[in-house]
Amino acid sequence: MWWDKHLTGKSAHVLTTMDTPPWYFRLFYRNPGNNQMRRTILEFCGIRPVRITCIGRVHNAPASWTARWLDKAAAFGRRA
């Protein structure tokens, strides 16, 4: 009604990194950054569906975790 959603029909998959474990961010903080990106930026422009993958505790993470996260990100990119 008040704006044109010029990106209707598009979808998004956002990868975020954080130093907080994702379960803690979701449970105690209620995903404020994810909600902001999803609702007030992407969906405002008409982008749906919006998927968000949180990768965390990246600070001082073991190399095995980093390799697994990079493999996961590459798989997401191949699907797009």
Side-chain angles (χ1 to χ4, degrees):
M1 177 195 322
W2 299 99
W3 61 89
D4 296 325
K5 294 186 175 197
H6 292 292
L7 297 176
T8 299
K10 302 289 184 182
S11 64
H13 190 165
V14 178
L15 298 175
T16 62
T17 59
M18 60 186 73
D19 285 334
T20 303
W23 65 267
Y24 188 89
F25 186 70
R26 182 177 55 252
L27 185 63
F28 291 102
Y29 295 126
R30 301 181 140 189
N31 290 329
N34 295 352
N35 293 332
Q36 182 79 14
M37 283 186 288
R38 173 180 281 124
R39 292 184 191 139
T40 63
I41 298 170
L42 298 170
E43 290 181 354
F44 178 82
C45 296
I47 297 173
R48 280 193 175 181
V50 176
R51 291 177 291 150
I52 298 177
T53 300
C54 296
I55 297 174
R57 255 177 67 191
V58 296
H59 187 66
N60 295 330
S64 61
W65 292 12
T66 305
R68 190 172 63 232
W69 293 331
L70 290 172
D71 290 342
K72 184 186 256 190
F76 290 147
R78 282 191 293 275
R79 281 191 249 157

